[in-house]
Amino acid sequence: MKRSIMKLNNLWAAVYAGVLLLVAGSALAEDPPEKFPDRDSSYMQEGTFVSTENLRNMGPGLSKTQVYDLLGVPHFHEGVFNVRVWNYIFNFRTGKNNEYVTCQFMVNYDSNYHVASTHWKDPDCQKYVNPPGSTTVLADQPYHQRVTLAADGLFAFGKSGLADLTGPGREKIDSLVSQLKQDGVKLTSVVVTGHTDRIGTETANFTLSKARAETIRSYLVQQGLDDKAIKAYGAGLSQPLVQCEGEAVTPQLVQCLQPNRRVEIEVLGEK
């Protein structure tokens, strides 16, 4: 019972953290820890039988939410918030009766909580994911791009509809789409997130940010990107890039808060 409760708590924490960090940016990774944790310190010492296909889909740039979707909750009590490493214990069938081997796997995150690198404690474990002579072709060129567009240049003031997209705004989005098509990117996911400044109510700002993200999503679909791969979210005023003094709405305050009024587009895929 105690173990079950612990798993549920870890599950909830992982999902919640993933949602909060879904739109975080990328940064250079620190070196991974030199030592893997002692297997005896895991709450899942027996390991789990992981999908080798899911392991093949692991790559740089994935968010914690995406890793959680592929591999599940990490198997050690490492916490979730502000954690840069997740460790797992995986089992693989050897093909000899019911025999299996157990391997430890590490996921190393960058400072913005996107996958920077992955490691096996025993390098030989890799052969169970990609057996010698396997015809499986791995994506050796993962694609990850984050584009930040100033909302002031995308939409008419206070507007969010497709008809409210400015000419320069459309050109910037068209440029992104053209680049993806030219590079032959096979999309895994495209996350569009709208952000506002703190002027106005929290509810109004969330509604505006969500509507703008939905409009950009619709425009990307119109330009030929995969509808199923694109998600839209509204963050409202919750993730400011800059802090400005003052409460009275003055031209100076509006100008100072400009970086917070933005739309972020994060693209993951394979080339």
Side-chain angles (χ1 to χ4, degrees):
M1 177 64 73
K2 183 176 181 180
R3 177 175 291 180
S4 297
I5 294 174
M6 192 174 296
K7 289 181 181 179
L8 288 174
N9 287 338
N10 285 337
L11 174 62
W12 177 89
V15 174
Y16 184 64
V19 172
L20 291 178
L21 297 170
L22 183 61
V23 296
S26 60
L28 296 177
E30 294 181 352
D31 292 334
E34 295 182 359
K35 293 184 178 181
F36 281 74
D38 189 333
R39 181 175 166 185
D40 291 339
S41 67
S42 170
Y43 70 85
M44 186 66 74
Q45 296 175 20
E46 66 272 25
T48 61
F49 288 86
V50 67
S51 164
T52 54
E53 181 64 26
N54 286 357
L55 279 170
R56 293 188 190 109
N57 283 319
M58 287 291 297
L62 295 183
S63 67
K64 281 192 172 183
T65 301
Q66 292 169 314
V67 174
Y68 169 77
D69 184 59
L70 290 171
L71 305 182
V73 179
H75 297 158
F76 291 80
H77 305 295
E78 297 161 325
V80 175
F81 296 99
N82 301 317
V83 172
R84 298 279 292 278
V85 178
W86 280 1
N87 281 279
Y88 294 86
I89 301 173
F90 293 137
N91 299 321
F92 300 98
R93 297 289 181 183
T94 64
K96 300 178 181 179
N97 299 320
N98 291 323
E99 180 181 280
Y100 64 86
V101 298
T102 301
C103 301
Q104 286 186 235
F105 183 70
M106 176 188 295
V107 181
N108 189 42
Y109 294 96
D110 62 29
S111 61
N112 286 308
Y113 309 104
H114 286 77
V115 174
S117 60
T118 60
H119 309 269
W120 292 101
K121 183 175 183 180
D122 181 352
D124 284 344
C125 289
Q126 177 65 35
K127 69 183 180 182
Y128 296 104
V129 180
N130 300 291
S134 171
T135 58
T136 300
V137 178
L138 295 181
D140 56 357
Q141 288 186 295
Y143 185 93
H144 180 212
Q145 182 177 186
R146 175 182 294 276
V147 178
T148 300
L149 303 174
D152 291 1
L154 284 176
F155 293 94
F157 181 76
K159 302 294 184 178
S160 61
L162 194 58
D164 303 312
L165 270 175
T166 66
R170 290 174 184 266
E171 291 178 2
K172 291 177 181 178
I173 301 172
D174 290 345
S175 177
L176 171 62
V177 173
S178 295
Q179 179 186 344
L180 295 175
K181 292 180 178 179
Q182 181 177 340
D183 292 344
V185 178
K186 181 180 178 181
L187 296 177
T188 300
S189 72
V190 179
V191 178
V192 183
T193 308
H195 301 265
T196 67
D197 59 26
R198 59 179 170 81
I199 298 174
T201 67
E202 183 174 353
T203 299
N205 278 308
F206 173 79
T207 300
L208 178 62
S209 66
K210 182 68 162 60
R212 285 179 168 177
E214 290 285 2
T215 293
I216 299 301
R217 179 190 182 283
S218 297
Y219 189 76
L220 290 173
V221 172
Q222 286 184 8
Q223 301 311 302
L225 297 193
D226 184 4
D227 178 42
K228 296 180 180 179
I230 311 174
K231 305 295 182 184
Y233 299 92
L237 51 77
S238 65
Q239 298 174 21
L241 295 179
V242 298
Q243 300 290 342
C244 302
E245 296 182 356
E247 295 298 328
V249 181
T250 63
Q252 291 76 17
L253 179 63
V254 172
Q255 178 62 32
C256 179
L257 293 173
Q258 188 275 330
N260 296 339
R261 302 187 295 273
R262 67 197 190 278
V263 174
E264 295 177 342
I265 304 174
E266 182 175 25
V267 182
L268 289 175
E270 298 174 354
K271 293 179 64 175

